[in-house]
Amino acid sequence: MSLDPLRIPDDVWSDTVIRDAVGRRDVGELFRRISQLTGASQTRVGAAVGLEQGYVSRIISGRKVTSIEVLERIADGLRMPDGSRMALGLAPRSRTCHQCMDPSTEQRKSGTPTRQRWRIQVRDATRLWDGDMNRRAVIRGLAFNSVGYALPALRWFTAPADQHIAASGRRVVGTPDIDTIRAMSANYRQLDNQHGGGHARDAVARYLHQDVAPLLTEGRYEPATGRKLLSAVAELTQLAGWQAYDLAEHGVAQRYLTVALDLARAADDVRIGAEIMAAMSHQATYLGHNSAGVELARAARETAHRAGSAVLTAEAHVMEAHAHAVGGDEKACAKALHLAEQTLDRADRTGDPQWLGYFDEAYLSAKFAHCFHALGKPVHAERFATRSLRMDERYVRGKSFNLALLASVQIQRGEPDRACAIGAEALALTTTLHSTRAIRYMRDLQDQLSLYRTRPAVRQFVNQVDVALAARR
């Protein structure tokens, strides 16, 4: 259910209780008073600040909030004025207040270079990695908000790339360091495809926090190296977001993908930027926010076109098609699918980056099948779902998804016994994975088979799923 934006009158911030709570960083009291003055529920407050309702409840019950990232999120979500932000211990937003507090104002006037925007992106990234490793409960309290992708996408198209990404730290950073990050990304991506996002999720976060962050914050590098470094880090950060998405940690995934896009923007790497926005579209559509999915896919398409990548353009078209299908727009879906197929047919793949290898005919067929399934066209969906199984066997999670999709299509066609047989194949793969999405697809099959629960094959399959997934998320 969508909620209207939480509107807080300006005079609320002069309320004595509010001012005292902000001064003491008592977020629980702040939330209580905001609720009293506005009539907002915990769910609505949580939606405004991007936190799960349960986490808001724990804060109100006395849990302390010490993470700067979460405090920033709360201040932004409540549209806190600069006076209150500063009382909370945060930097103000307005230029005037920044200059009042910043002793380097005169240096700026005199032409001395100031801290570039990319350094802010690095700060945000390292705070996220630190929070993910050391304050996991706080980070996992973040909630997904489809409008949360609007500002990063806007920044992507309007903010200029930083021209001078260089640092003078104590540690020399060079090509071997960047090559190591890319090699680690490739290894972790392979583990993700074979074993699911949960298999190496903590390892990736730890590597970013312990090994990558010091390169960014303590390194010494020239602009050319700096751009390559931020590009490699954006790629790995995108993978971390994808892993969190696979584990249904959707607020965490959104934060990682947002940070990854900002890093890609700073590095002016349009290819990884297009891939990140396609991932954003994928997540939004999966969660039922098809309008956001369409817009993010279009942003990915424009970026892919700018990159001159036909494969990324095809990917963006198919993401848009799926979002249209979920929204029931058959005509727009058909147009996007046609463009995706045409574009991939004429693509030259010789220069593709390693991370784009998954996008092939089998993947495209799976997305076609998802579209026809969502539009209630099981005959077409079956043809493409069957074709999607002619795939690289290294993509174990992808195969489990495609089998589950084909089983679901069989239910649409009124063939529950066939669905159970195919579902059993998907279940065998799912039990080897650490993937909440894979488990969800199994549970969805159970629900879809409820109309046929008296059939022996269905009872047997439902029982198999329950036994196999009893202790799984």
Side-chain angles (χ1 to χ4, degrees):
M1 178 179 70
S2 61
L3 298 171
D4 293 333
L6 179 58
R7 294 179 175 84
I8 302 176
D10 291 341
D11 59 1
V12 163
W13 299 105
S14 61
D15 177 82
T16 303
V17 176
I18 293 282
R19 292 173 62 185
D20 180 62
V22 169
R24 292 185 290 108
R25 274 194 176 181
D26 187 343
V27 180
E29 181 62 27
L30 172 64
F31 283 170
R32 273 194 296 274
R33 189 61 173 166
I34 290 289
S35 295
Q36 290 172 359
L37 294 175
T38 65
S41 65
Q42 291 181 8
T43 299
R44 198 169 182 193
V45 171
V49 300
L51 298 174
E52 299 281 3
Q53 180 275 327
Y55 190 55
V56 171
S57 177
R58 291 194 292 276
I59 292 173
I60 291 175
S61 298
R63 187 185 189 104
K64 298 297 182 185
V65 177
T66 58
S67 166
I68 293 297
E69 182 177 1
V70 175
L71 289 171
E72 287 273 10
R73 197 180 185 106
I74 290 169
D76 290 346
L78 296 179
R79 294 178 175 81
M80 197 176 282
D82 280 334
S84 298
R85 288 182 62 91
M86 289 186 285
L88 195 62
L90 303 175
R93 286 296 187 201
S94 73
R95 184 179 180 86
T96 302
C97 286
H98 271 298
Q99 291 179 342
C100 292
M101 296 179 65
D102 190 350
S104 64
T105 301
E106 292 304 317
Q107 293 177 356
R108 285 198 294 273
K109 289 180 180 178
S110 66
T112 303
T114 61
R115 188 170 80 166
Q116 300 96 328
R117 187 183 300 105
W118 71 270
R119 295 186 183 276
I120 298 175
Q121 318 302 351
V122 167
R123 179 205 65 189
D124 291 346
T126 55
R127 281 180 177 175
L128 173 61
W129 305 334
D130 175 68
D132 199 4
M133 290 307 302
N134 298 316
R135 294 180 297 279
R136 181 61 61 84
V138 173
I139 292 296
R140 286 185 174 171
L142 300 178
F144 178 85
N145 185 342
S146 63
V147 300
Y149 279 145
L151 182 57
L154 179 63
R155 279 199 301 266
W156 175 263
F157 287 105
T158 60
D162 290 283
Q163 297 300 310
H164 193 76
I165 300 174
S168 55
R170 59 181 176 80
R171 176 178 177 179
V172 176
V173 177
T175 299
D177 300 291
I178 297 168
D179 288 345
T180 298
I181 294 173
R182 294 200 184 280
M184 293 295 286
S185 294
N187 290 337
Y188 284 131
R189 199 173 296 278
Q190 182 178 355
L191 291 172
D192 176 66
N193 287 322
Q194 291 181 339
H195 304 289
H199 181 76
R201 156 104 167 84
D202 289 348
V204 173
R206 188 179 306 109
Y207 178 69
L208 285 166
H209 176 55
Q210 295 181 351
D211 295 86
V212 175
L215 296 177
L216 294 168
T217 60
E218 303 170 16
R220 181 164 74 251
Y221 39 87
E222 297 300 319
T225 301
R227 284 194 185 283
K228 292 176 182 176
L229 176 61
L230 289 194
S231 172
V233 175
E235 179 188 336
L236 185 55
T237 303
Q238 185 267 344
L239 173 60
W242 190 258
Q243 291 173 317
Y245 167 27
D246 196 41
L247 290 176
E249 297 174 3
H250 291 294
V252 180
Q254 182 171 37
R255 186 70 185 123
Y256 265 99
L257 292 176
T258 298
V259 165
L261 187 64
D262 284 338
L263 290 171
R265 171 70 279 179
D268 198 25
D269 187 333
V270 288
R271 290 199 301 182
I272 192 63
E275 177 72 3
I276 292 166
M277 282 188 281
M280 290 174 167
S281 174
H282 197 298
Q283 183 191 24
T285 299
Y286 177 82
L287 294 174
H289 302 281
N290 57 286
S291 295
V294 168
E295 295 305 319
L296 288 163
R298 288 173 174 170
R301 183 190 67 204
E302 292 302 314
T303 304
H305 181 72
R306 178 179 144 202
S309 172
V311 179
L312 284 168
T313 303
E315 179 186 26
H317 280 309
V318 82
M319 294 301 169
E320 181 180 350
H322 193 190
H324 284 309
V326 170
D329 190 337
E330 184 177 344
K331 184 176 179 180
C333 174
K335 179 180 178 181
L337 287 178
H338 176 67
L339 289 171
E341 193 170 35
Q342 271 192 331
T343 306
L344 189 61
D345 282 345
R346 64 172 181 263
D348 177 4
R349 308 212 58 171
T350 55
D352 281 358
Q354 182 274 338
W355 45 259
L356 194 51
Y358 73 91
F359 192 82
D360 56 13
E361 292 290 345
Y363 187 94
L364 187 67
S365 294
K367 297 303 287 186
F368 269 62
H370 275 291
C371 290
F372 288 122
H373 182 254
L375 291 170
K377 295 181 174 296
V379 175
H380 297 302
E382 181 183 33
R383 184 170 74 254
F384 284 102
T386 301
R387 190 181 300 174
S388 75
L389 294 173
R390 303 169 192 164
M391 61 185 300
D392 189 329
E393 295 293 329
R394 292 175 298 177
Y395 294 97
V396 178
R397 181 182 55 200
K399 187 171 184 179
S400 77
F401 290 170
N402 293 352
L403 284 166
L405 172 61
L406 181 57
S408 184
V409 170
Q410 297 306 321
I411 298 172
Q412 268 191 333
R413 297 202 66 186
E415 298 284 353
D417 289 1
R418 288 191 66 193
C420 290
I422 298 167
E425 292 183 62
L427 179 62
L429 293 179
T430 298
T431 56
T432 70
L433 297 168
H434 192 163
S435 167
T436 304
R437 281 192 297 158
I439 292 171
R440 173 182 163 177
Y441 289 141
M442 288 295 100
R443 295 302 188 187
D444 286 348
L445 282 179
Q446 284 184 308
D447 292 341
Q448 294 162 22
L449 286 164
S450 61
L451 291 174
Y452 304 97
R453 57 183 173 271
T454 59
R455 299 176 72 98
V458 171
R459 288 201 306 269
Q460 181 181 3
F461 174 70
V462 168
N463 183 63
Q464 280 182 314
V465 173
D466 285 336
V467 170
L469 305 181
R472 306 287 294 277
R473 286 177 59 189

